[in-house]
């Protein structure tokens, strides 16, 4: 029978993938982490992380990713930066096809493909994307110095990023479709106390308008059906996430209505030998700490699945 090159391939290098990789490298598995861009996933573009245990004063998303990557590297995690074009998850040996044509094989896979920002799907949104419409406050905030801008959304991302954007913008209007925020109370308190933040409740953005220079206004609809125009030069769309599941065989892999992968408590998916961790999973809370914890659980499940086979790597007495 064909031999797999790896005991484990981890698909995706965000906090879930990096933690699974750290555990697998320490567990002396023959493991490879495949990531198409830089490691870190969405955390890489998170301005400030204030709730990751151990970082009492908080830490920037960039620095947290840097530390997580360095931690996995310390145990020799093998990484490959490449784009995956197909995954074959069935059978005892799974395969990962790369854009280059290379095929990688493994006995087990942990899916850590994460999620990406959801879109409003309204007129003008795509036309002005990168010219006033943004999905990343950390990346684009500094472009809006002394300008009036808007944020749409009422979750943790919207409120945390609205607070961040007040460092640059002269005014930030948070537009929310309901009369109550979903964000955690401490963020709500900070936002309500911030003089630069205004709220428009029960309001939807119908259209992004602008000219050759970029966005100049938004067409809004209020609860009572009235429409109005808000003059802003930037709109940050921060309304949640969509799963990065395009590569996944959703006819074979159980997923919820939103396309997030369903696992059991041990992170096992409906396909034997395939596990999932982090934002790609179907779940309530998408926190960095969850992703990291799930990465650890998934890797321990992989070890269990592999039946504690003898390590492929030689004994290392230097650590
Ligand atoms: P989220 O919690 O799903 O919130 C999405 C927000 O966008 C909701 O307020 C929702 O309104 C609104 N929304 C969704 N679709 C919309 C649409 N088509 N038009 C207008 N508004 C729309 O998403 P998130 O804030 O990105 O957070 C994602 C996950 O990351 C959450 O689990 C969150 O807790 C976590 N996170 C944590 C932190 C932290 O702990 N510091 C920071 C950022 C994110 P409704 O409220 O009406 O549904």
């Amino acid at each position: 029978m064909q031999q797999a090159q790896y005991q484990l391939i981890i698909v995706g290098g965000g906090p879930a993938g990096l933690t699974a990789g750290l555990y697998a490298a320490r567990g002396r598995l023959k493991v490879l982490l495949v990531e198409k861009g830089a490691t870190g996933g969405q955390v890489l573009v998170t301005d400030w992380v204030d709730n990751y245990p151990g970082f009492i004063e908080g830490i920037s998303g960039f620095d947290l990713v840097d530390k997580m990557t360095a931690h996995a590297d310390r145990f020799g995690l093998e990484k490959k930066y490449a784009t995956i074009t197909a995954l074959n998850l069935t059978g005892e040996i799974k395969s990962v096809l790369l854009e280059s044509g290379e095929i990688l094989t493994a006995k087990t896979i942990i899916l850590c493909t994460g999620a990406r920002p959801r879109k409003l799907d309204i007129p003008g949104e795509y036309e002005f994307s990168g010219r006033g419409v943004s999905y990343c406050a950390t990346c684009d905030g500094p472009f809006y110095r002394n300008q009036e801008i808007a944020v749409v959304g009422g979750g943790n991302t919207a409120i945390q990023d609205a607070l961040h954007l007040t460092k640059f913008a002269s005014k930030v209007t948070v537009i929310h479709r309901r009369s109550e925020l979903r964000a955690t109370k401490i963020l709500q308190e900070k936002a309500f106390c911030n003089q630069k933040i205004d709220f428009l409740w029960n309001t939807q953005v119908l259209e992004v308008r602008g000219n050759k220079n970029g966005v100049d206004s938004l067409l809004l609809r209020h609860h009572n059906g009235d429409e109005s125009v808000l003059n802003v030069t930037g709109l940050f769309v921060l309304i949640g996430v969509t799963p990065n599941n395009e590569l996944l065989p959703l006819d074979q892999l159980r997923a919820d209505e939103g396309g997030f992968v369903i696992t059991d408590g041990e992170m096992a998916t409906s396909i034997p030998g395939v596990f999932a961790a982090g934002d790609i999973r179907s779940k309530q809370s998408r926190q960095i700490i969850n992703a990291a914890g799930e990465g650890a659980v998934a890797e321990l499940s992989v070890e269990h699945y592999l039946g504690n086979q003898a390590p492929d790597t030689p004994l290392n007495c230097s650590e």
Side-chain angles (χ1 to χ4, degrees):
M1 190 183 153
Q2 185 205 352
Q3 286 286 308
Q5 292 161 283
Y6 293 94
Q7 289 174 294
L8 166 64
I9 292 179
I10 299 164
V11 180
L18 286 172
T19 308
L22 164 68
Y23 272 62
R26 291 191 81 239
R28 299 280 187 247
L29 291 192
K30 180 100 176 82
V31 54
L32 176 73
L33 183 150
V34 184
E35 164 59 52
K36 74 166 186 277
T39 52
Q42 293 189 96
V43 185
L44 199 57
V45 292
T46 301
D47 170 49
W48 196 251
V49 178
D50 230 358
N51 56 1
Y52 199 85
F55 295 96
I56 301 154
E57 306 302 330
I59 181 168
S60 75
F62 184 90
D63 287 344
L64 184 57
V65 165
D66 202 40
K67 285 183 187 295
M68 285 184 174
T69 308
H71 198 169
D73 287 347
R74 187 184 136 211
F75 292 102
L77 174 66
E78 184 183 344
K79 300 197 284 310
K80 195 173 190 84
Y81 293 94
T83 300
I84 296 172
T85 52
L87 287 173
N88 184 353
L89 300 179
T90 51
E92 263 188 52
I93 297 187
K94 329 288 182 196
S95 60
V96 174
L97 176 65
L98 304 184
E99 202 173 37
S100 62
E102 188 182 358
I103 297 174
L104 305 167
T105 56
K107 289 181 184 164
T108 62
I109 300 275
I110 303 180
L111 301 168
C112 304
T113 51
R116 61 180 181 278
R118 193 181 283 151
K119 310 285 191 294
L120 279 168
D121 234 351
I122 55 169
E125 181 181 13
Y126 299 109
E127 183 188 345
F128 290 104
S129 179
R131 296 194 303 128
V133 174
S134 171
Y135 302 89
C136 175
T138 314
C139 318
D140 299 331
F143 296 125
Y144 296 92
R145 243 170 247 284
N146 302 319
Q147 297 177 43
E148 297 197 2
I149 61 173
V151 164
V152 58
N156 278 328
T157 306
I159 304 309
Q160 188 166 318
D161 287 359
L163 286 161
H164 170 67
L165 289 166
T166 59
K167 292 184 199 164
F168 312 101
S170 53
K171 181 175 166 191
V172 178
T173 302
V174 174
I175 302 165
H176 185 37
R177 65 183 179 183
R178 292 189 297 132
S179 58
E180 203 179 303
L181 297 175
R182 187 183 287 277
T184 191
K185 292 288 181 233
I186 190 164
L187 287 175
Q188 294 196 27
E189 285 164 15
K190 281 187 187 170
F192 293 147
C193 292
N194 192 306
Q195 300 291 317
K196 282 189 173 180
I197 298 182
D198 265 4
F199 286 87
L200 277 176
W201 303 105
N202 301 307
T203 299
Q204 279 178 285
V205 183
L206 295 184
E207 186 182 343
V208 182
R209 293 173 171 176
N211 53 44
K212 63 178 175 25
N213 299 320
V215 169
D216 61 21
S217 60
L218 305 174
L219 177 64
L220 306 177
R221 184 189 290 139
H222 306 282
H223 189 49
N224 58 6
D226 284 356
E227 292 185 2
S228 69
V229 171
L230 179 71
N231 291 322
V232 287
T233 49
L235 173 67
F236 286 80
V237 179
L238 304 167
I239 58 168
V241 291
T242 296
N244 293 327
N245 62 9
E246 288 72 11
L247 282 173
L248 308 184
L250 293 179
D251 49 336
Q252 300 157 1
L253 199 58
R254 264 187 81 214
D256 67 16
E257 286 171 351
F260 292 92
V261 175
I262 295 172
T263 71
D264 63 15
E266 305 306 319
M267 308 303 140
T269 71
S270 54
I271 301 180
V274 179
F275 302 81
D279 282 5
I280 189 61
R281 282 186 66 233
S282 176
K283 58 180 178 175
Q284 279 285 324
S285 31
R286 295 197 156 72
Q287 306 284 303
I288 305 169
I289 188 83
N290 294 142
E294 292 163 20
V297 173
E299 194 281 334
L300 294 170
S301 297
V302 163
E303 288 192 31
H304 187 72
Y305 177 87
L306 292 172
N308 294 319
Q309 292 166 351
D312 288 357
T313 43
L315 194 61
N316 182 351
C317 298
S318 63
E319 285 172 12

